[in-house]
Amino acid sequence: MRITCKNLLASCGILLALGWLGLAISGDAISQALAARLGEKLRAAGDGVIADPTLFIHARMVEILWIATVAVILALCLAWLWKRIDGIPRIQHSKGLIMGFVGFAAVNILIGTCGNTAAFWIVLHDSQHMDNLVRYQIKKSLLDESGDRRRILIVGNSQANRSIDETMINRSLAQSSWTTEMTQPGARGFDLLVLGRDMHPQSGDIVVFYLSEISFHGMSSGIVVADFLKFGDFLTAVQLDGLPWISPGAIRSGLSGRSIPAYRFRQPVTNRLLAWQSVPTSHDTALPSAPPDMQAMAKNWAPTLRTDDASQFERKSFEMLINELIAQDCEVILIPAHLHPALMREMDPLVAGSFKDWFNGLQKLDSIRVTLLGPESFFTPTDEDFDDLVHFNEQAQKRFTHELSGILQGVLNDGG
Amino acid sequence: MVFNSLVFLVFLTVVLTLYYRLPHRWQNRMLVVASYFFYGWWDWRFLGLLLFTTFIDYWCARYLDQETRITHRKCLMATSIAVNLGVLGFFKYFNFFAESFGKVLHSFGMRADLPTLHILLPLGISFYTFLSLSYTIDVYRGKLKAERNPVDFMAYVSFFPHLVAGPIMRAQDLLPQCKNPRTICEAQVLTGIWLCLQGYFKKVVIADRLGDIATWGFDSGATPFVDANSWLLLYAFAFQIYGDFSGYSDIARGLAKLMGFELVLNFKAPYLVNNPAAFWRNWHISLSTWLRDYLYIPLGGNRGGSLLTFRNLMLTMLLGGLWHGAGLAFLAWGLYQGILLVLQRCWSAVTGNQRQTSDEPAQGPLGRIGKAAGIVIFFHLTCLGWLLFRAGTVPPEFSQWDVIRSFLQTLWIPPQSLSVHVWPVALLGGCALLLQWHNEAADRFAEWSPRLQASAVALALTAIATLGVFEGSSFIYFQF
């Protein structure tokens, strides 16, 4: 049989059909058998993100078949268009160029499809180097694989990441819940709204926010907007008069990324293809370490934490997120995050007081669904508990997580 | 506005939309306005300078056409040269010569606080002054008639695709295209679009990715490596400058084709040659031919015996180096290139061979191996030259000579292991070499099979979207 496009596509179609049939008939059995052999290795390799190896394997098989199906459908469409253009004399001579652009569009559709699967992100994952986007996407794709357990989503920025150990929570609460930490560095009010919408929380989810003044005052990093912004989020920013506080470059990057998935995922692809994360492209100019002078650093940083139009925009965005979560029948837990005592001493008391009043007042949005865990619920950290002005050290993280686990267990027991 | 920016895409869309709707004469007027707008976007203050040099050369050429008295013709020619080189010298070289002169006086024990000026370098000044100067020289030599239509002449000088970084077009090539109505065929549009895509790929993928590595390697005062891994940084810069400059030329040629213009090929396969003369027939061809026709040959070329030929080669390459930048490192690079050319001449004289060029096919397997070895060796000699060139642009807080010294000390030390940079440099450098190997294919894009066209376009777009650097990088040759 000659190898032609038509034959190749037909063969792929047949193989796919067989694949789907096989999955329907014996997918569960194959998943269980593989999970029995590889389950522990998977859990170890997954670094705490794999809730159920059987579900994980089954879902990956579905994803691979789905990606292959989309690829074949796109190839069929391209083949049809290829033939169709021959019948249009005006553009016949530009067929190659036109099909090149159409092919690029098809590649983006395929990449966009892949972007919704954990399989794609696992291929891009580099265990030697952390990529926040890859890690987030893997976790997001795995959110639905926690079985019947209630989902706990920890949302925030690096403060939440360094204060709460999801693996530790899962070890203690694994029977009744599955906890996933969905943080992005530098995330602030509007960023959290963008992330919250991207995550698609479901009814019954418990969403935990661990946030401090730095999430609502001072300058934004723009990372979240650059990677996650959707057109609807952009309109929300316009509606909330937030455009002056968002970097135009980040907006361009975000919206371009939503239009061109290949562009949106360029950093992980570059990291994988060119081993770019391994390649140093900047020099560490920090002086060899003297212990950092926290007081001096706090003195420099605190004045930038102001209550102004930017902070109002961040607060309004976050309130919008809380309201959307309430509307989706999620349970919200708010925890005011801890800051280094040096930073608290240098911070304008009006800023700290205003934040406290506002954050505590969020409970009024829905007194049933929104719970505030005030400082009295946790230990009071001292200077020795921090690595820097905003992040706990490992011991403090363990202690805080242990206390939070206990509280979450109570919430789960109450909720059923 | 750089070619790889959103604002340029908007600009281009507007320009092309108007261009395709306008009759010929209005096209030229629109091109002049658009080109001045393009140039003014960088810095409107230098529009006057562009207009001034254009004006001077237009009128010098007009008078040259009418003038028959030799002394008057020489005066007109001297005026054009003085204005063009004076402007170039003032903006580009004033501080360099003032500081160099001061150092010379200081070395003789004399103190001289010569003033230096905070002068901004007008974008593209080295390119458009040479372009304009070649026009008046050709009119003086009687090679062409002076252009009478000022709009056509302004369009020739300021044509935005090549205004800021070449190719340096000769009047006899570009002026007729400005004067005569242009027909744009489908093949030109197809090839133009492909050249733009290829150029963008070379720039944002090859050049800018490797540029990050080169910047890391060069801009910290010394090479970060203690062994021959330093070669990776030289390779990175070699492919960066190739990707950057030939990418710009591709985009310029592609844009020109979209408007029915043909610009000269500026780069062929400079890293697949085995001798310096062949290198200069493949690298920045428009500059090397300009230097040959307006400097080397008027100096006497190779007509005055070996010593004079060597002198002419050295002078030409020294000035070529200086053209690139006002700095001793660029002079050193020019000197190095001159020495290579002289050595090649000596070698040919000693061996009695006709100059073997890499354009000629190698004979037999041994011949092919020898040619390949020659290419590899010459590539490394070229990279050593790039070391001097790149050292000329290290941050001012570092010593250029310290950077050069640190590299030269490490290049010969065998590495214990290969640096992590080897993979991206090999992959992207390999792409660059592949593009060089098939450099002529791009101009025949319209003749490719539709399947090949479609695959190439889709691959180029995907590579640009996934591997490209989009965070505000400019073109290296903008600083010249």
Side-chain angles (χ1 to χ4, degrees), chain A residues 94 96 266 270 273 276 278 283, chain B residues 186 209 216 420-421 423 454 466:
Chain A
S94 312
R266 67 195 182 289
T270 300
L273 210 54
W276 203 246
S278 315
H283 292 278
Chain B
E186 195 171 5
R209 282 285 164 204
W216 173 80
V420 293
H421 295 88
W423 172 243
T466 52

Side-chain angles (χ1 to χ4, degrees), chain A residues 2 24 48 54 82 94 113 136 173 206 226 235 250 271 301 385 410:
Chain A
R2 266 184 65 206
T54 307
W82 185 269
S94 312
T113 305
Y136 171 92
L173 303 181
I206 300 173
L235 293 175
N271 290 340
W301 192 3
D385 292 311

Side-chain angles (χ1 to χ4, degrees), chain A residues 112-184:
Chain A
T113 305
C114 290
N116 292 323
T117 67
F120 174 73
W121 293 105
I122 287 167
V123 167
L124 293 180
H125 175 59
D126 179 355
S127 54
Q128 306 296 323
H129 302 95
M130 238 273 270
D131 185 308
N132 287 304
L133 180 61
V134 172
R135 195 164 170 80
Y136 171 92
Q137 294 287 5
I138 290 174
K139 287 183 175 185
K140 181 184 157 191
S141 304
L142 298 182
L143 270 178
D144 293 328
E145 292 171 22
S146 52
D148 295 329
R149 288 172 283 185
R150 217 163 153 203
R151 305 184 327 175
I152 300 176
L153 307 179
I154 298 170
V155 184
N157 48 38
S158 59
Q159 266 199 300
N161 171 262
R162 294 276 295 272
S163 300
I164 305 171
D165 182 348
E166 63 184 341
T167 310
M168 206 170 134
I169 297 180
N170 281 327
R171 260 189 244 122
S172 53
L173 303 181
Q175 299 306 315
S176 50
S177 70
W178 184 255
T179 301
T180 307
E181 174 231 302
M182 304 289 285
T183 57
Q184 285 290 307

Side-chain angles (χ1 to χ4, degrees), chain A residues 64-348:
Chain A
I64 290 168
L65 277 174
W66 174 234
I67 291 171
T69 304
V70 170
V72 168
I73 292 172
L74 287 170
L76 283 168
C77 292
L78 288 174
W80 173 82
L81 194 60
W82 185 269
K83 276 205 142 47
R84 185 88 178 80
I85 288 182
D86 281 335
I88 309 174
R90 271 185 67 190
I91 58 172
Q92 198 178 18
H93 297 294
S94 312
K95 180 160 96 167
L97 187 70
I98 293 171
M99 287 306 297
F101 280 93
V102 173
F104 177 62
V107 165
N108 276 280
I109 294 172
L110 185 62
I111 290 177
T113 305
C114 290
N116 292 323
T117 67
F120 174 73
W121 293 105
I122 287 167
V123 167
L124 293 180
H125 175 59
D126 179 355
S127 54
Q128 306 296 323
H129 302 95
M130 238 273 270
D131 185 308
N132 287 304
L133 180 61
V134 172
R135 195 164 170 80
Y136 171 92
Q137 294 287 5
I138 290 174
K139 287 183 175 185
K140 181 184 157 191
S141 304
L142 298 182
L143 270 178
D144 293 328
E145 292 171 22
S146 52
D148 295 329
R149 288 172 283 185
R150 217 163 153 203
R151 305 184 327 175
I152 300 176
L153 307 179
I154 298 170
V155 184
N157 48 38
S158 59
Q159 266 199 300
N161 171 262
R162 294 276 295 272
S163 300
I164 305 171
D165 182 348
E166 63 184 341
T167 310
M168 206 170 134
I169 297 180
N170 281 327
R171 260 189 244 122
S172 53
L173 303 181
Q175 299 306 315
S176 50
S177 70
W178 184 255
T179 301
T180 307
E181 174 231 302
M182 304 289 285
T183 57
Q184 285 290 307
R188 294 150 51 80
F190 180 72
D191 300 326
L192 296 171
L193 174 63
V194 169
L195 281 176
R197 288 171 173 178
D198 184 75
M199 267 180 253
H200 301 299
Q202 295 170 3
S203 165
D205 285 346
I206 300 173
V207 186
V208 177
F209 293 99
Y210 181 75
L211 302 166
S212 69
E213 288 85 340
I214 65 165
S215 306
F216 299 93
H217 301 266
M219 291 302 299
S220 167
S221 70
I223 295 174
V224 172
V225 168
D227 284 339
F228 292 93
L229 188 76
K230 290 195 182 82
F231 290 96
D233 302 327
F234 175 73
L235 293 175
T236 302
V238 172
Q239 182 193 336
L240 296 177
D241 293 324
L243 287 188
W245 320 116
I246 308 173
S247 146
I251 294 177
R252 268 198 307 273
S253 183
L255 295 181
S256 301
R258 288 296 176 178
S259 313
I260 307 172
Y263 174 81
R264 181 170 177 231
F265 302 147
R266 67 195 182 289
Q267 199 53 55
V269 171
T270 300
N271 290 340
R272 209 66 178 118
L273 210 54
L274 298 180
W276 203 246
Q277 276 185 306
S278 315
V279 173
T281 52
S282 63
H283 292 278
D284 184 1
T285 52
L287 293 170
S289 31
D293 183 346
M294 295 292 185
Q295 200 62 45
M297 284 163 60
K299 254 195 170 73
N300 278 337
W301 192 3
T304 67
L305 303 173
R306 294 185 297 268
T307 302
D308 50 18
D309 290 343
S311 61
Q312 293 306 321
F313 163 64
E314 303 291 356
R315 288 185 186 185
K316 278 191 281 186
S317 304
F318 187 66
E319 285 171 20
M320 187 176 270
L321 172 61
I322 302 293
N323 283 320
E324 287 177 9
L325 290 172
I326 292 167
Q328 281 157 23
D329 199 28
C330 297
E331 196 169 332
V332 176
I333 296 179
L334 300 172
I335 309 172
H338 303 88
L339 294 174
H340 194 287
L343 186 56
M344 291 311 299
R345 282 193 294 273
E346 294 297 332
M347 200 184 303
D348 181 351

